[in-house]
Amino acid sequence: MSEKILILDFGSQYTQLIARRVRELNIFCEIFPFNHYPALDESVKGVILSGSPFSVTDENALHIDLQQIIGKVPVLGVCYGAQYIAQYYGGQVQRSLKREYGKAHLSRRYRDDRFLKDIPEGDQVWMSHGDTIIQIPEQFELLAGTNSIEVAAYKSKEAAFEAPVYCIQFHPEVTHSLSGKQLLQNFLYDIADCKGDWTPAHFVENAIAELRQKVGSEHVLMGLSGGVDSTVAAELLHRAIGEGLICFFIDNGLLRKNEFEEVLDSYRTMGLRVVGIDARQRFWDALSGLTNPEDKRKAIGRLFIEVFEEEAHKIEQVQWLGQGTIYPDVIESVSVHGPSVTIKSHHNVGGLPDKLKLKIVEPLRMLFKDEVRRVGEELGIPKNILHRHPFPGPGLGIRILGEVTPERVALLQEADAIFINHLKKSGLYEQVWQAGVVLLPIYSVGVMGDERTYEQAVALRAVNSSDGMTAEWSRLPHDFLAAVSSEIINHVKGINRVVYDISTKPPSTIEWE
C-alpha cells in the first residue's frame, strides 16, 4: 500500500500550497475538509492541520476531535492548526493586539531538534495570524521563537503521545519562508518516516494499471482541446486501452491560426484515434449579435455540448467519458475551504455526462498542473503541446471584445500569430506563462503613407504566474514590443494601433472577458 499524507483544510488560502510542497518532495498527499476525512489506515504516514481565516477564540471557530488523530500518526499543526492544538490541550491563546503579518525571523532557538535540522539561526519565516499562543500546554515544549513572539514552534514531549506532534505559528509552504521546504522535508522524512516514492514514473505505472482494471475492454470517448491536461489524460488512456479510446477535436471557429490542423497532426502522430469536427460556422452563427461576455461564454459552452452530443451518438459501444480534470478542479468542487466559502461547480464536466449517460473516468484528478507536465514528459508527449501556454475554453471568443464575427476572428488570428511567433523566435515564449492578443471594440485614427486610416486597436497581453490564481504582467523588452507592433500594423489590414496591457491579477483578470 502506497504512503500518503492527509492535509485537513480549515479554510486557509495556502492549503493547496501545502499540498504542492509535499508533492514536490515526492510524497503523495490529499486535501480533505477538517470535518470530513477518511479513517487513518496503514498508508497514512502523517497528518497536517492547515491554517484558517477563523480565530480559535471565536464562537464560530472550526472544531475537530483531535483524539482521532493525535497519537495515531505524526501530526504537524500550521498556524490555526498549532493554535487549536495549544488550546485543545489546555494552553492559552488570545487575540493579538495587532495582526502579525509578514516576514519574521527565528531569532530564538530554545533547543535542537530533528525538526529544525539544517534550518539556520535567524531564518526568515512568513507570519499571517491574528491569534497568538501565550502559553503552550504542559505536554509540550518550546522549539523556537521570533523577536515579537515567544512561541513560533513547539513540539510534544517525548512521552506525551504515541506519535510526535509538531506545531508552528508561521507558514512554511510560502516562498517567503526561506527554509520552509526544508522544514517540511524534516517533518515528512525524519519524523513521519516517508520514503518519497511519488514520482512521475510511479504515477504512470499505477495509473495505467488502474485504468485497465477500471475500464477493461469498454470504450472511452474524450474531447481534446489541444491543451496539456486533456492530452496527457488521453495518452494515459491510450496506453491503457489502446483503440478503445476515441477522441473528438472540435474546431469552434475560435482557435488560433492553423491550430486545428496542427493539433490534429500532432495527435495523429502520437497514435491517438482522433475525429476532427469542423463546427466553425455553427459557433459563429450562435455568437451573432452577442456582446455580453457571459452570454458569449454560455453560447459557446452550450453549443459545444450540442455538437459533442450529436457526434457521440454516431459512435456505438461507448460506456465512458474521459475528462482532463486536475486536482484543483476536484478541490474547488467540494467543501474543503470551510463553511464560509462559496463552492465552485465542477467546471470541466460541463453537463456532458448527464446528457450522454456515460460513466466518467478522470486519469489526472489527483495531479496539480505542474505534475501533469512532469507526467507528460515521462510519457514523451511532444513539447509543442506539453509546454503550450494555457488557452481559455471559449478561445478567441473572449479575446474579441464585443460581437464575434468570422471577419473579426480572422483579424485577431493574424495579429495573435505574429505575437506568439515573435515570442518563440526571441526565446521569450517559455519565460511567459500565458500570452495572447485582445481585439478591442474601438477605432482610432492613423496615418499610412499619405492616407489617413480609421481602424481597430489590439492589446497585447503577457503574464507570469504559477497557477493563474494571481498574475504579474511580463516585463517584455521595449525593442521586442516595438517589433511586434510594427509587424501587426504593417501586415494586418484593419489594425492601426497596438497597446500593451500592464495590469496585474488581482485586481484585473488575465483574460479581458
Side-chain angles (χ1 to χ4, degrees):
M1 187 178 290
S2 298
E3 64 183 17
K4 65 182 174 185
I5 296 292
L6 300 189
I7 300 172
L8 303 190
D9 183 17
F10 290 87
S12 170
Q13 61 179 320
Y14 299 132
T15 302
Q16 281 196 38
L17 270 183
I18 299 175
R20 291 180 66 164
R21 298 294 173 259
V22 173
R23 298 276 188 92
E24 287 168 5
L25 291 165
N26 295 332
I27 297 164
F28 180 67
C29 65
E30 288 188 72
I31 298 173
F32 292 96
F34 71 96
N35 56 357
H36 188 68
Y37 59 92
L40 306 185
D41 58 29
E42 291 181 4
S43 68
V44 178
K45 304 289 285 184
V47 174
I48 298 176
L49 307 182
S50 84
S52 175
F54 291 90
S55 164
V56 300
T57 64
D58 287 347
E59 288 183 8
N60 60 349
L62 309 182
H63 295 283
I64 184 173
D65 182 6
L66 291 178
Q67 300 297 332
Q68 303 299 316
I69 301 169
I70 300 291
K72 313 288 187 186
V73 294
V75 172
L76 174 62
V78 176
C79 205
Y80 182 92
Q83 293 153 359
Y84 189 81
I85 288 171
Q87 186 184 69
Y88 188 93
Y89 286 102
Q92 187 180 354
V93 182
Q94 69 178 33
R95 296 294 288 170
S96 304
L97 294 176
K98 64 176 183 177
R99 181 176 173 81
E100 291 170 316
Y101 184 84
K103 297 172 185 176
H105 297 272
L106 296 179
S107 54
R108 290 187 277 180
R109 186 77 64 90
Y110 303 115
R111 54 177 48 81
D112 288 328
D113 188 271
R114 54 186 173 163
F115 183 57
L116 299 175
K117 184 182 73 175
D118 297 327
I119 306 298
E121 291 285 344
D123 191 50
Q124 178 181 296
V125 296
W126 184 259
M127 295 284 186
S128 179
H129 58 95
D131 287 345
T132 298
I133 300 170
I134 303 302
Q135 183 179 344
I136 62 173
E138 61 181 26
Q139 304 100 310
F140 295 82
E141 57 188 3
L142 285 173
L143 289 178
T146 69
N147 286 334
S148 57
I149 60 171
E150 184 180 15
V151 184
Y154 68 100
K155 60 168 283 193
S156 58
K157 292 178 180 176
E158 201 70 36
F161 308 105
E162 290 291 322
V165 180
Y166 284 82
C167 298
I168 50 179
Q169 270 203 116
F170 55 90
H171 290 272
E173 67 273 19
V174 301
T175 54
H176 301 301
S177 291
L178 300 184
S179 300
K181 193 170 181 179
Q182 178 65 48
L183 200 73
L184 289 171
Q185 180 175 308
N186 293 344
F187 174 76
L188 295 167
Y189 280 90
D190 296 349
I191 295 161
D193 198 28
C194 292
K195 296 182 180 64
D197 59 1
W198 174 252
T199 63
H202 179 265
F203 174 83
V204 168
E205 183 182 345
N206 283 0
I208 291 172
E210 288 174 8
L211 288 170
R212 282 179 182 152
Q213 183 177 9
K214 185 173 188 175
V215 177
S217 59
E218 295 182 329
H219 287 71
V220 178
L221 180 60
M222 185 165 186
L224 300 179
S225 67
V228 177
D229 301 338
S230 65
T231 304
V232 174
E235 180 62 15
L236 281 169
L237 281 162
H238 180 63
R239 298 276 181 103
I241 62 172
E243 289 296 301
L245 172 67
I246 304 159
C247 301
F248 287 166
F249 183 41
I250 299 173
D251 187 350
N252 60 5
L254 305 169
L255 301 175
R256 285 178 152 148
K257 184 180 179 181
N258 300 328
E259 184 174 20
F260 185 61
E261 296 79 9
E262 290 172 0
V263 172
L264 266 182
D265 287 344
S266 294
Y267 283 145
R268 286 167 179 159
T269 301
M270 290 167 59
L272 295 178
R273 182 181 171 188
V274 186
V275 179
I277 301 164
D278 183 354
R280 289 175 295 176
Q281 193 61 53
R282 288 183 64 178
F283 278 88
W284 293 335
D285 290 345
L287 290 166
S288 178
L290 299 182
T291 58
N292 179 276
E294 191 60 23
D295 290 342
K296 291 196 289 183
R297 283 178 177 271
K298 286 178 179 176
I300 294 166
R302 184 170 57 248
L303 187 53
F304 178 87
I305 291 175
E306 286 178 16
V307 173
F308 196 100
E309 186 181 6
E310 289 170 15
E311 296 295 327
H313 285 310
K314 298 176 185 177
I315 301 172
E316 296 180 357
Q317 295 181 327
V318 172
Q319 295 84 14
W320 296 85
L321 179 68
Q323 294 278 352
T325 311
I326 62 175
Y327 199 37
D329 302 332
V330 176
I331 294 169
E332 291 165 4
S333 300
V334 296
S335 179
V336 298
H337 293 298
S340 66
V341 178
T342 302
I343 307 307
K344 179 178 178 181
S345 61
H346 198 322
H347 66 267
N348 268 5
V349 173
L352 275 172
D354 293 337
K355 284 182 171 290
L356 298 175
K357 303 294 189 289
L358 299 178
K359 297 174 283 187
I360 301 175
V361 58
E362 301 168 312
L364 308 178
R365 65 178 282 109
M366 299 311 298
L367 297 186
F368 287 104
K369 190 77 169 187
D370 51 341
E371 294 172 321
V372 174
R373 282 201 168 93
R374 290 202 292 272
V375 167
E377 289 171 356
E378 182 69 27
L379 291 167
I381 288 173
K383 284 188 175 182
N384 65 311
I385 290 181
L386 200 57
H387 295 287
R388 180 178 183 255
H389 285 177
F391 190 63
L396 300 181
I398 58 172
R399 292 182 180 174
I400 296 174
L401 274 60
E403 186 179 9
V404 176
T405 65
E407 295 75 23
R408 299 190 80 203
V409 169
L411 202 63
L412 180 56
Q413 284 177 330
E414 293 298 326
D416 181 80
I418 290 170
F419 185 31
I420 298 301
N421 288 337
H422 269 274
L423 284 169
K424 290 178 177 177
K425 284 191 298 183
S426 63
L428 292 169
Y429 185 82
E430 292 192 6
Q431 296 179 31
V432 171
W433 191 75
Q434 184 172 339
V437 179
V438 181
L439 183 63
L440 306 180
I442 57 173
Y443 286 74
S444 67
V445 174
V447 178
M448 289 191 179
D450 294 328
E451 297 181 5
R452 287 169 66 83
T453 61
Y454 191 57
E455 295 177 337
Q456 293 189 78
V458 294
L460 309 181
R461 181 68 159 146
V463 297
N464 292 339
S465 178
S466 60
D467 52 16
M469 300 300 290
T470 61
E472 184 70 34
W473 62 276
S474 303
R475 269 62 172 175
L476 298 178
H478 290 180
D479 290 347
F480 170 85
L481 292 171
V484 173
S485 174
S486 176
E487 186 170 344
I488 289 175
I489 292 171
N490 288 323
H491 290 84
V492 185
K493 185 172 176 56
I495 296 173
N496 69 354
R497 191 175 299 274
V498 176
V499 299
Y500 188 48
D501 183 349
I502 58 169
S503 312
T504 59
K505 177 186 178 180
S508 300
T509 52
I510 295 175
E511 301 295 342
W512 280 45
E513 288 192 343

